[in-house]
């Protein structure tokens, strides 16, 4: 039985998501089983850039205009400065040979990290399965999260 | 012996507090023992809407004017937009039959979640026992937190 | 074998860092082994106030101008209000005989808390060993973090 790591990704801040993937990929490379549970703003990380058009009430449509998906759209939690800070940080990451979030998602997926999307938030926000990237393993709720988390050596809320 | 879950609620962002209660209530429904430890801004979640008048120095009074208690006053961490975003999110939650924070507190309490208020923050901020809602089980410090947390299968800082 | 506590300090918000040190120092006083792993913005907490001058590219230099180190520079995550809120909170902390962050670092160090700086972030941000305060025990990466975290009773991401 491998040791387990379970991470809730609540945030879609570039910096925090970066930390989450570094821990996740580090854990699999140390032969641990990793589950990443994406909820609330974190769902944006595993959403396609373009949402599928569907009949939604005006509130979900407005929320969709503000709260856009796509791993390339993540911003720094500090010093975003209309995108300049975020863009500089991305360049600094590249200079240090650090992969982008998109590359980290692929890397995580390839190395066996399990990617779960939170169904409760999806319903509230009007996000459907087709809006999610193909790397998502499953859509599940808090019971699934808890079943894995209580068997995990490391639990984090990011 | 039931398995334990201990959650520090440091934040009073509507979205984060929502996540905390969903995990807490999910955990008790899976037959786990849950302790929620409210500290710093999180204390606002378990404060009455109206503070008891008491002799406080001017700094604590000013802080009290800015940092108001009450579960109905929580705001989204993103897209609050002078309250419009928060109000929309609350309506979307209602449409998805998701309870409000006030209802979640009652639900948590009824199902046996233990609600603890952090005494250190209470002192710094000039919050007294009478300012807290009746659902609070006890007022305690970091030692009480640690005693439960180290016996817990899941520990989160939200 | 002592029980272990491992805390990632990702944030440099005064309030969150305060919580992290209270938990850390509380844990050692309950005879537990504590590791604090400072990463991303959290690195600022364990940086000297004045950076060592060194040849950096313009992006790292610009980042250095915005993102300044030093435990005295931490701001509240809410109600900073151009420093007024933060300064008031510091005074309220003092009135409650709560130590400052600088004093908490010394206290933590004296009581045996292990202070680790994240090498990945240091490289991205152009922070070198000489920029860090003397209380830092070592510079390490995610593998070191995981090795300690998976043996810990309490893991937190702050």
């Amino acid at each position: 039985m491998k040791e387990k790591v379970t991470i809730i990704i609540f945030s879609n801040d570039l910096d925090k998501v970066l930390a989450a993937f570094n821990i996740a990929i580090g854990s699999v490379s140390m032969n641990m089983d990793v589950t990443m549970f994406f909820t609330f703003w974190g769902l944006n990380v595993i959403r396609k850039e373009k949402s599928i058009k569907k009949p939604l009430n005006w509130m979900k449509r407005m929320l969709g205009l503000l709260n856009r998906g796509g791993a390339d759209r993540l911003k720094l939690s500090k010093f975003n400065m209309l995108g300049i800070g975020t863009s500089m940080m991305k360049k600094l990451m590249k200079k240090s040979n650090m992969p982008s979030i998109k590359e980290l998602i692929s890397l995580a997926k390839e190395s066996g990290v399990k990617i779960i999307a939170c169904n409760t938030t999806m319903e509230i926000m009007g996000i459907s399965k087709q809006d999610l990237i193909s790397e998502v393993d499953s859509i599940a709720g808090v019971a699934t999260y808890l079943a894995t988390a209580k068997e995990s050596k490391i639990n984090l809320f990011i």
Side-chain angles (χ1 to χ4, degrees), chain A residues 9-13 17 37-47 67 74 121 125 158:
Chain A
I9 294 90
F10 176 93
S11 166
N12 68 335
D13 293 330
V17 174
F37 189 85
F38 290 84
T39 188
F40 231 93
W41 313 115
L43 272 182
N44 292 344
V45 181
I46 54 167
R47 279 168 66 192
N67 185 41
L74 310 190
T121 327
M125 294 191 175
I158 295 184

Side-chain angles (χ1 to χ4, degrees), chain A residues 101-133:
Chain A
I101 298 288
K102 269 194 172 166
E103 291 165 333
L104 285 169
I105 295 175
S106 299
L107 217 60
K109 180 72 185 175
E110 281 163 28
S111 56
V113 172
K114 217 169 162 183
I115 296 177
I116 302 184
C118 168
N119 58 10
T120 313
T121 327
M122 285 175 67
E123 208 209 304
I124 296 178
M125 294 191 175
I127 297 167
S128 58
K129 202 186 161 174
Q130 300 101 293
D131 294 321
L132 302 178
I133 57 175

Side-chain angles (χ1 to χ4, degrees), chain A residues 7-22 36 38-46 67-68 70-80 86 89-90 93 100-102 104-105 157-158:
Chain A
I7 308 173
I8 294 180
I9 294 90
F10 176 93
S11 166
N12 68 335
D13 293 330
L14 174 62
D15 36 25
K16 288 190 186 166
V17 174
L18 201 63
F21 275 103
N22 279 341
M36 297 179 90
F38 290 84
T39 188
F40 231 93
W41 313 115
L43 272 182
N44 292 344
V45 181
I46 54 167
N67 185 41
R68 304 183 71 184
D72 282 344
R73 284 217 182 84
L74 310 190
K75 293 177 182 70
L76 281 178
S77 65
K78 288 176 195 249
F79 308 131
N80 180 51
T86 296
M89 182 59 73
K90 285 181 178 175
M93 283 166 54
S100 71
I101 298 288
K102 269 194 172 166
L104 285 169
I105 295 175
F157 182 97
I158 295 184

Side-chain angles (χ1 to χ4, degrees), chain A residues 136-148:
Chain A
V136 174
D137 288 284
S138 62
I139 295 169
V142 71
T144 303
Y145 163 70
L146 288 167
T148 319

